[in-house]
Amino acid sequence: MNIHKKTILFFSILFLFSAIICWVFEINDISATLSNIFIAIFTNTFIVICTSFVNYFHEKEGFFNNLFFYGIFVNSNIECLKLFLEKINQHKDIGAIYQVISSYYDAIENIIKNINFTIYSPIFSKSKEAKSVACIYNLFF
């Protein structure tokens, strides 16, 4: 997502720059050829910006779907662990209790390791969405 964010920023600057130059050339009748070149640059940068936005939102949706999917498994393992801990008085074997708790711990740890928080790069770092991801990251780690 970070590369798409940088692409959007770079081509937005190029978009504005080419629009200004094209506008200046059109008003002053400087050169039709150069004006056409900057119109082509202007048009192509617009297409690149739109494509980068689509790719950014596609990766962002994939990240959140993945986060939601793994969150369901973490929650289900925690709920199973709660149910087991409620019925712990029935078990007298410490080894079996340790084995069950260890298996739930390992399952939760493996799920958390599969979530790649480094790919998330919000456009606005102060948004509620970015704060929520930071909160989930802090809960996991």
Side-chain angles (χ1 to χ4, degrees):
M1 288 189 337
N2 196 26
I3 190 72
H4 298 299
K5 193 169 77 171
K6 288 178 182 178
T7 302
I8 291 167
L9 179 64
F10 174 75
F11 279 99
S12 294
I13 293 168
L14 186 60
F15 179 79
L16 292 174
F17 179 71
S18 64
I20 291 169
I21 290 178
C22 182
W23 179 69
V24 168
F25 282 1
E26 285 290 324
I27 287 179
N28 297 328
D29 283 333
I30 295 176
S31 172
T33 305
L34 285 176
S35 178
N36 289 337
I37 289 171
F38 282 103
I39 288 174
I41 292 171
F42 175 77
T43 306
N44 288 327
T45 56
F46 181 74
I47 292 169
V48 169
I49 290 169
C50 291
T51 305
S52 293
F53 267 117
V54 168
N55 289 334
Y56 175 82
F57 288 120
H58 177 72
E59 281 190 29
K60 182 176 161 184
E61 179 183 9
F63 172 78
F64 280 111
N65 286 341
N66 195 18
L67 188 64
F68 179 74
F69 178 73
Y70 285 128
I72 289 172
F73 284 112
V74 168
N75 188 40
S76 67
N77 280 321
I78 289 173
E79 289 299 319
C80 288
L81 191 57
K82 282 182 187 177
L83 289 174
F84 177 75
L85 291 175
E86 287 174 1
K87 296 180 180 183
I88 205 163
N89 290 333
Q90 298 170 357
H91 300 285
K92 304 293 185 205
D93 186 16
I94 298 295
I97 293 171
Y98 177 77
Q99 183 70 25
V100 170
I101 292 174
S102 178
S103 67
Y104 282 118
Y105 174 79
D106 291 340
I108 292 171
E109 186 179 43
N110 287 333
I111 291 169
I112 290 172
K113 285 181 182 177
N114 285 329
I115 300 172
N116 187 3
F117 283 97
T118 59
I119 64 169
Y120 181 68
S121 178
I123 292 178
F124 302 108
S125 60
K126 302 281 186 195
S127 67
K128 289 181 183 179
E129 186 177 87
K131 290 178 183 177
S132 297
V133 170
C135 181
I136 292 169
Y137 176 80
N138 290 333
L139 283 174
F140 280 175
F141 298 103

Short mmCIF file of all heavy atoms in Angstrom, two decimals, residues 89-134:
data_model
loop_
_atom_site.label_atom_id
_atom_site.label_comp_id
_atom_site.label_asym_id
_atom_site.label_seq_id
_atom_site.Cartn_x
_atom_site.Cartn_y
_atom_site.Cartn_z
N ASN A 89 -11.92 -26.94 37.20
CA ASN A 89 -12.04 -27.62 38.50
C ASN A 89 -12.35 -29.10 38.34
O ASN A 89 -12.08 -29.88 39.25
CB ASN A 89 -13.12 -26.94 39.35
CG ASN A 89 -12.69 -25.57 39.82
OD1 ASN A 89 -11.50 -25.30 39.94
ND2 ASN A 89 -13.66 -24.70 40.04
N GLN A 90 -12.90 -29.47 37.19
CA GLN A 90 -13.23 -30.88 36.97
C GLN A 90 -11.98 -31.71 36.67
O GLN A 90 -12.00 -32.92 36.82
CB GLN A 90 -14.22 -31.01 35.81
CG GLN A 90 -15.54 -30.32 36.09
CD GLN A 90 -16.40 -30.26 34.85
OE1 GLN A 90 -16.00 -30.69 33.79
NE2 GLN A 90 -17.61 -29.72 35.00
N HIS A 91 -10.93 -31.05 36.17
CA HIS A 91 -9.71 -31.76 35.80
C HIS A 91 -8.70 -31.69 36.94
O HIS A 91 -8.47 -30.65 37.52
CB HIS A 91 -9.09 -31.16 34.53
CG HIS A 91 -10.00 -31.22 33.36
ND1 HIS A 91 -10.23 -32.37 32.67
CD2 HIS A 91 -10.73 -30.26 32.74
CE1 HIS A 91 -11.07 -32.13 31.67
NE2 HIS A 91 -11.39 -30.85 31.70
N LYS A 92 -8.10 -32.82 37.23
CA LYS A 92 -7.10 -32.86 38.30
C LYS A 92 -5.69 -33.01 37.74
O LYS A 92 -4.72 -32.79 38.44
CB LYS A 92 -7.38 -34.05 39.24
CG LYS A 92 -8.76 -34.02 39.85
CD LYS A 92 -8.91 -32.86 40.79
CE LYS A 92 -10.28 -32.95 41.45
NZ LYS A 92 -10.81 -31.74 41.91
N ASP A 93 -5.58 -33.35 36.46
CA ASP A 93 -4.28 -33.60 35.85
C ASP A 93 -3.68 -32.28 35.36
O ASP A 93 -4.15 -31.68 34.39
CB ASP A 93 -4.44 -34.58 34.69
CG ASP A 93 -3.09 -34.99 34.10
OD1 ASP A 93 -2.06 -34.75 34.76
OD2 ASP A 93 -3.10 -35.54 32.99
N ILE A 94 -2.64 -31.81 36.04
CA ILE A 94 -1.98 -30.54 35.69
C ILE A 94 -1.34 -30.62 34.31
O ILE A 94 -1.36 -29.64 33.55
CB ILE A 94 -0.92 -30.16 36.77
CG1 ILE A 94 -1.57 -29.95 38.12
CG2 ILE A 94 -0.13 -28.93 36.35
CD1 ILE A 94 -2.50 -28.78 38.18
N GLY A 95 -0.80 -31.76 33.95
CA GLY A 95 -0.16 -31.93 32.64
C GLY A 95 -1.15 -31.75 31.50
O GLY A 95 -0.85 -31.12 30.49
N ALA A 96 -2.35 -32.29 31.67
CA ALA A 96 -3.39 -32.14 30.64
C ALA A 96 -3.85 -30.69 30.54
O ALA A 96 -4.08 -30.18 29.44
CB ALA A 96 -4.56 -33.06 30.95
N ILE A 97 -3.99 -30.05 31.69
CA ILE A 97 -4.39 -28.63 31.70
C ILE A 97 -3.34 -27.78 30.99
O ILE A 97 -3.66 -26.94 30.15
CB ILE A 97 -4.60 -28.14 33.15
CG1 ILE A 97 -5.80 -28.84 33.78
CG2 ILE A 97 -4.78 -26.63 33.19
CD1 ILE A 97 -5.96 -28.59 35.26
N TYR A 98 -2.08 -28.04 31.31
CA TYR A 98 -0.99 -27.30 30.67
C TYR A 98 -0.98 -27.56 29.17
O TYR A 98 -0.76 -26.63 28.38
CB TYR A 98 0.35 -27.70 31.29
CG TYR A 98 1.52 -27.03 30.63
CD1 TYR A 98 1.82 -25.69 30.90
CD2 TYR A 98 2.30 -27.71 29.70
CE1 TYR A 98 2.87 -25.06 30.27
CE2 TYR A 98 3.35 -27.08 29.07
CZ TYR A 98 3.64 -25.76 29.37
OH TYR A 98 4.69 -25.14 28.72
N GLN A 99 -1.23 -28.78 28.76
CA GLN A 99 -1.23 -29.15 27.34
C GLN A 99 -2.32 -28.39 26.58
O GLN A 99 -2.08 -27.86 25.50
CB GLN A 99 -1.42 -30.66 27.18
CG GLN A 99 -1.36 -31.15 25.76
CD GLN A 99 0.02 -31.08 25.18
OE1 GLN A 99 1.01 -31.09 25.89
NE2 GLN A 99 0.09 -30.99 23.88
N VAL A 100 -3.51 -28.32 27.14
CA VAL A 100 -4.62 -27.63 26.48
C VAL A 100 -4.35 -26.13 26.40
O VAL A 100 -4.52 -25.51 25.34
CB VAL A 100 -5.95 -27.91 27.21
CG1 VAL A 100 -7.07 -27.03 26.69
CG2 VAL A 100 -6.32 -29.37 27.09
N ILE A 101 -3.92 -25.55 27.50
CA ILE A 101 -3.62 -24.11 27.49
C ILE A 101 -2.49 -23.80 26.52
O ILE A 101 -2.53 -22.81 25.78
CB ILE A 101 -3.29 -23.62 28.92
CG1 ILE A 101 -4.56 -23.67 29.79
CG2 ILE A 101 -2.73 -22.20 28.90
CD1 ILE A 101 -4.33 -23.34 31.24
N SER A 102 -1.49 -24.65 26.49
CA SER A 102 -0.36 -24.46 25.58
C SER A 102 -0.80 -24.54 24.11
O SER A 102 -0.33 -23.78 23.27
CB SER A 102 0.71 -25.49 25.87
OG SER A 102 1.78 -25.35 24.98
N SER A 103 -1.71 -25.46 23.81
CA SER A 103 -2.18 -25.59 22.42
C SER A 103 -2.96 -24.35 21.99
O SER A 103 -2.81 -23.88 20.86
CB SER A 103 -3.01 -26.86 22.25
OG SER A 103 -4.22 -26.76 22.96
N TYR A 104 -3.80 -23.82 22.88
CA TYR A 104 -4.53 -22.58 22.55
C TYR A 104 -3.57 -21.41 22.39
O TYR A 104 -3.72 -20.59 21.49
CB TYR A 104 -5.58 -22.25 23.60
CG TYR A 104 -6.83 -23.09 23.48
CD1 TYR A 104 -7.22 -23.93 24.51
CD2 TYR A 104 -7.62 -23.02 22.35
CE1 TYR A 104 -8.36 -24.69 24.41
CE2 TYR A 104 -8.77 -23.78 22.24
CZ TYR A 104 -9.13 -24.62 23.27
OH TYR A 104 -10.27 -25.37 23.15
N TYR A 105 -2.57 -21.34 23.26
CA TYR A 105 -1.58 -20.28 23.18
C TYR A 105 -0.83 -20.35 21.85
O TYR A 105 -0.63 -19.34 21.18
CB TYR A 105 -0.61 -20.37 24.35
CG TYR A 105 0.54 -19.39 24.26
CD1 TYR A 105 0.35 -18.06 24.62
CD2 TYR A 105 1.79 -19.78 23.79
CE1 TYR A 105 1.38 -17.14 24.53
CE2 TYR A 105 2.82 -18.86 23.70
CZ TYR A 105 2.62 -17.56 24.06
OH TYR A 105 3.64 -16.66 23.95
N ASP A 106 -0.42 -21.55 21.47
CA ASP A 106 0.31 -21.73 20.20
C ASP A 106 -0.56 -21.36 19.00
O ASP A 106 -0.09 -20.74 18.04
CB ASP A 106 0.81 -23.16 20.06
CG ASP A 106 1.91 -23.50 21.05
OD1 ASP A 106 2.55 -22.55 21.57
OD2 ASP A 106 2.14 -24.70 21.30
N ALA A 107 -1.85 -21.73 19.06
CA ALA A 107 -2.75 -21.40 17.96
C ALA A 107 -2.91 -19.89 17.82
O ALA A 107 -2.85 -19.34 16.72
CB ALA A 107 -4.11 -22.06 18.18
N ILE A 108 -3.09 -19.21 18.94
CA ILE A 108 -3.24 -17.75 18.91
C ILE A 108 -1.95 -17.09 18.44
O ILE A 108 -1.97 -16.16 17.64
CB ILE A 108 -3.68 -17.22 20.29
CG1 ILE A 108 -5.11 -17.68 20.60
CG2 ILE A 108 -3.60 -15.70 20.35
CD1 ILE A 108 -5.57 -17.41 22.01
N GLU A 109 -0.82 -17.59 18.90
CA GLU A 109 0.47 -17.02 18.50
C GLU A 109 0.71 -17.20 17.00
O GLU A 109 1.18 -16.28 16.32
CB GLU A 109 1.59 -17.67 19.29
CG GLU A 109 2.95 -17.05 19.04
CD GLU A 109 4.03 -17.71 19.89
OE1 GLU A 109 4.03 -18.96 19.99
OE2 GLU A 109 4.86 -16.97 20.41
N ASN A 110 0.36 -18.36 16.44
CA ASN A 110 0.52 -18.59 15.00
C ASN A 110 -0.38 -17.69 14.18
O ASN A 110 0.01 -17.21 13.12
CB ASN A 110 0.25 -20.06 14.67
CG ASN A 110 1.36 -20.97 15.11
OD1 ASN A 110 2.51 -20.55 15.23
ND2 ASN A 110 1.03 -22.21 15.39
N ILE A 111 -1.59 -17.47 14.66
CA ILE A 111 -2.50 -16.58 13.95
C ILE A 111 -1.94 -15.16 13.94
O ILE A 111 -1.95 -14.48 12.91
CB ILE A 111 -3.90 -16.61 14.61
CG1 ILE A 111 -4.56 -17.97 14.36
CG2 ILE A 111 -4.79 -15.50 14.07
CD1 ILE A 111 -5.81 -18.21 15.18
N ILE A 112 -1.45 -14.70 15.06
CA ILE A 112 -0.92 -13.34 15.16
C ILE A 112 0.31 -13.17 14.28
O ILE A 112 0.50 -12.14 13.65
CB ILE A 112 -0.63 -12.99 16.63
CG1 ILE A 112 -1.95 -12.85 17.39
CG2 ILE A 112 0.19 -11.72 16.75
CD1 ILE A 112 -1.80 -12.70 18.88
N LYS A 113 1.14 -14.20 14.18
CA LYS A 113 2.33 -14.12 13.33
C LYS A 113 1.97 -14.02 11.85
O LYS A 113 2.76 -13.51 11.07
CB LYS A 113 3.23 -15.33 13.57
CG LYS A 113 3.99 -15.27 14.86
CD LYS A 113 4.86 -16.50 15.01
CE LYS A 113 5.61 -16.48 16.33
NZ LYS A 113 6.42 -17.70 16.52
N ASN A 114 0.80 -14.51 11.46
CA ASN A 114 0.40 -14.47 10.06
C ASN A 114 -0.10 -13.11 9.61
O ASN A 114 -0.22 -12.86 8.42
CB ASN A 114 -0.69 -15.52 9.79
CG ASN A 114 -0.14 -16.92 9.76
OD1 ASN A 114 1.00 -17.12 9.37
ND2 ASN A 114 -0.94 -17.88 10.16
N ILE A 115 -0.42 -12.24 10.54
CA ILE A 115 -0.91 -10.91 10.19
C ILE A 115 0.29 -10.00 9.96
O ILE A 115 1.13 -9.82 10.83
CB ILE A 115 -1.81 -10.33 11.30
CG1 ILE A 115 -3.01 -11.24 11.53
CG2 ILE A 115 -2.28 -8.93 10.93
CD1 ILE A 115 -3.85 -10.85 12.72
N ASN A 116 0.36 -9.42 8.76
CA ASN A 116 1.47 -8.55 8.40
C ASN A 116 1.03 -7.10 8.51
O ASN A 116 0.44 -6.53 7.59
CB ASN A 116 1.93 -8.86 6.97
CG ASN A 116 3.18 -8.11 6.59
OD1 ASN A 116 3.75 -7.39 7.40
ND2 ASN A 116 3.60 -8.27 5.36
N PHE A 117 1.32 -6.50 9.65
CA PHE A 117 0.92 -5.11 9.89
C PHE A 117 1.79 -4.11 9.14
O PHE A 117 1.42 -2.95 9.02
CB PHE A 117 0.95 -4.79 11.39
CG PHE A 117 -0.21 -5.34 12.15
CD1 PHE A 117 -0.12 -6.55 12.82
CD2 PHE A 117 -1.41 -4.67 12.19
CE1 PHE A 117 -1.19 -7.06 13.52
CE2 PHE A 117 -2.50 -5.17 12.88
CZ PHE A 117 -2.39 -6.37 13.55
N THR A 118 2.93 -4.55 8.62
CA THR A 118 3.83 -3.62 7.93
C THR A 118 3.30 -3.20 6.57
O THR A 118 3.72 -2.17 6.06
CB THR A 118 5.23 -4.24 7.76
OG1 THR A 118 5.12 -5.46 7.01
CG2 THR A 118 5.87 -4.51 9.10
N ILE A 119 2.37 -3.98 5.99
CA ILE A 119 1.85 -3.59 4.68
C ILE A 119 0.80 -2.48 4.79
O ILE A 119 0.50 -1.83 3.80
CB ILE A 119 1.26 -4.78 3.91
CG1 ILE A 119 0.05 -5.36 4.61
CG2 ILE A 119 2.30 -5.83 3.65
CD1 ILE A 119 -0.72 -6.36 3.78
N TYR A 120 0.25 -2.26 5.98
CA TYR A 120 -0.77 -1.23 6.14
C TYR A 120 -0.12 0.14 6.18
O TYR A 120 0.76 0.41 7.00
CB TYR A 120 -1.60 -1.47 7.41
CG TYR A 120 -2.68 -0.44 7.59
CD1 TYR A 120 -3.76 -0.40 6.73
CD2 TYR A 120 -2.61 0.49 8.61
CE1 TYR A 120 -4.76 0.54 6.87
CE2 TYR A 120 -3.60 1.43 8.77
CZ TYR A 120 -4.67 1.46 7.89
OH TYR A 120 -5.64 2.41 8.04
N SER A 121 -0.55 0.99 5.28
CA SER A 121 -0.02 2.36 5.21
C SER A 121 -1.18 3.31 4.91
O SER A 121 -1.56 3.48 3.75
CB SER A 121 1.04 2.44 4.12
OG SER A 121 1.53 3.75 4.01
N PRO A 122 -1.76 3.90 5.94
CA PRO A 122 -2.94 4.76 5.71
C PRO A 122 -2.56 6.07 5.03
O PRO A 122 -1.45 6.58 5.19
CB PRO A 122 -3.47 5.01 7.12
CG PRO A 122 -2.27 4.91 7.99
CD PRO A 122 -1.40 3.86 7.36
N ILE A 123 -3.50 6.59 4.26
CA ILE A 123 -3.27 7.90 3.62
C ILE A 123 -3.29 8.98 4.69
O ILE A 123 -2.45 9.87 4.69
CB ILE A 123 -4.35 8.15 2.55
CG1 ILE A 123 -4.16 7.17 1.38
CG2 ILE A 123 -4.28 9.59 2.05
CD1 ILE A 123 -5.19 7.28 0.30
N PHE A 124 -4.22 8.88 5.62
CA PHE A 124 -4.30 9.83 6.73
C PHE A 124 -3.98 9.07 8.02
O PHE A 124 -4.76 8.23 8.46
CB PHE A 124 -5.68 10.47 6.82
CG PHE A 124 -6.09 11.18 5.57
CD1 PHE A 124 -7.07 10.66 4.74
CD2 PHE A 124 -5.47 12.36 5.20
CE1 PHE A 124 -7.43 11.30 3.58
CE2 PHE A 124 -5.82 13.01 4.04
CZ PHE A 124 -6.81 12.49 3.22
N SER A 125 -2.85 9.38 8.62
CA SER A 125 -2.41 8.63 9.80
C SER A 125 -3.21 8.95 11.06
O SER A 125 -3.12 8.25 12.05
CB SER A 125 -0.93 8.88 10.06
OG SER A 125 -0.70 10.25 10.28
N LYS A 126 -4.01 10.01 11.04
CA LYS A 126 -4.82 10.38 12.20
C LYS A 126 -6.27 9.90 12.09
O LYS A 126 -7.10 10.23 12.92
CB LYS A 126 -4.82 11.90 12.38
CG LYS A 126 -3.46 12.52 12.55
CD LYS A 126 -2.95 12.34 13.94
CE LYS A 126 -1.64 13.12 14.09
NZ LYS A 126 -0.90 12.74 15.24
N SER A 127 -6.58 9.11 11.06
CA SER A 127 -7.95 8.66 10.86
C SER A 127 -8.34 7.61 11.90
O SER A 127 -7.50 7.00 12.55
CB SER A 127 -8.12 8.09 9.45
OG SER A 127 -7.38 6.90 9.32
N LYS A 128 -9.65 7.41 12.05
CA LYS A 128 -10.14 6.40 12.99
C LYS A 128 -9.67 5.01 12.58
O LYS A 128 -9.37 4.17 13.43
CB LYS A 128 -11.67 6.42 13.04
CG LYS A 128 -12.25 7.62 13.72
CD LYS A 128 -13.76 7.54 13.74
CE LYS A 128 -14.36 8.77 14.37
NZ LYS A 128 -15.84 8.71 14.37
N GLU A 129 -9.62 4.80 11.29
CA GLU A 129 -9.18 3.50 10.76
C GLU A 129 -7.74 3.21 11.16
O GLU A 129 -7.41 2.11 11.61
CB GLU A 129 -9.32 3.56 9.25
CG GLU A 129 -9.07 2.30 8.52
CD GLU A 129 -9.32 2.54 7.05
OE1 GLU A 129 -8.38 2.97 6.36
OE2 GLU A 129 -10.45 2.29 6.59
N ALA A 130 -6.86 4.19 11.01
CA ALA A 130 -5.45 4.02 11.36
C ALA A 130 -5.29 3.82 12.86
O ALA A 130 -4.47 3.00 13.32
CB ALA A 130 -4.64 5.22 10.90
N LYS A 131 -6.09 4.54 13.64
CA LYS A 131 -6.04 4.38 15.10
C LYS A 131 -6.53 3.00 15.51
O LYS A 131 -5.99 2.40 16.44
CB LYS A 131 -6.85 5.48 15.78
CG LYS A 131 -6.21 6.85 15.67
CD LYS A 131 -7.07 7.91 16.30
CE LYS A 131 -6.45 9.29 16.12
NZ LYS A 131 -7.29 10.35 16.67
N SER A 132 -7.54 2.49 14.81
CA SER A 132 -8.05 1.15 15.12
C SER A 132 -7.02 0.08 14.81
O SER A 132 -6.83 -0.86 15.60
CB SER A 132 -9.33 0.87 14.32
OG SER A 132 -10.34 1.76 14.68
N VAL A 133 -6.34 0.22 13.69
CA VAL A 133 -5.29 -0.76 13.34
C VAL A 133 -4.15 -0.69 14.35
O VAL A 133 -3.62 -1.72 14.77
CB VAL A 133 -4.78 -0.53 11.90
CG1 VAL A 133 -3.55 -1.37 11.61
CG2 VAL A 133 -5.87 -0.84 10.90
N ALA A 134 -3.78 0.51 14.77
CA ALA A 134 -2.73 0.66 15.78
C ALA A 134 -3.15 0.03 17.11
O ALA A 134 -2.35 -0.62 17.79
CB ALA A 134 -2.38 2.14 15.98
#
